Structure formats: C-alpha cells, structure tokens
Amino acid sequence: FTILAYSSFLGVYGTNQSNIQRYLCCKSEKTARKAIWMNSLALIAINVTAAFVGLIMFGYYAGCDPLKGKLD
C-alpha cells in the first residue's frame, strides 16, 4: 500500500506540468522544497477532513434504508 501511495504522490507532484512550473518559478531550491511541504501538509489536512466528514455521514445515515422506504 505504501508503494502505491508513494507512486501516486510522485505522479501528482513529480510529473504534473503545473506543479513542475510552480517549483521552477521558486527563487531557490529551498523555497521549492518549502512549497512542496506546505502543499503536502495542506493535502493531508484536506484528506483527513474529507475522511471524517464521510465517517460522520455514514454514522448519521447508518439506519436509513431507502429501499425499504423507512426514513428516520
């Protein structure tokens, strides 16, 4: 799983033209690394938030079965 996640990360951040152009526009390699880390932390926060929202929605609608026609 870790290898797949890492390859996905490289696909998005290592080969995407818009990201490469963003890194090349930085003043130095240090600022480019900082941009990558900031972007990664923001992406992690977004994914964690989306996961928690999904869990909350699942918990809220767990007893609702639209096929039976019963709405809680």
Side-chain angles (χ1 to χ4, degrees):
F1 178 74
T2 304
I3 295 172
L4 291 175
Y6 185 69
S7 64
S8 174
F9 177 80
L10 283 178
V12 172
Y13 293 100
T15 59
N16 190 349
Q17 182 180 0
S18 64
N19 286 334
I20 297 298
Q21 287 177 343
R22 184 178 304 136
Y23 304 146
L24 289 175
C25 289
C26 292
K27 293 180 181 181
S28 67
E29 186 177 336
K30 184 178 179 180
T31 57
R33 287 183 184 175
K34 184 178 176 181
I36 292 171
W37 280 107
M38 289 176 58
N39 194 355
S40 299
L41 292 175
L43 181 65
I44 289 169
I46 290 170
N47 285 336
V48 167
T49 303
F52 278 122
V53 168
L55 288 171
I56 291 168
M57 290 177 63
F58 178 77
Y60 183 78
Y61 291 110
C64 179
D65 188 2
L67 297 177
K68 291 183 179 178
K70 294 181 182 179
L71 298 176
D72 291 338

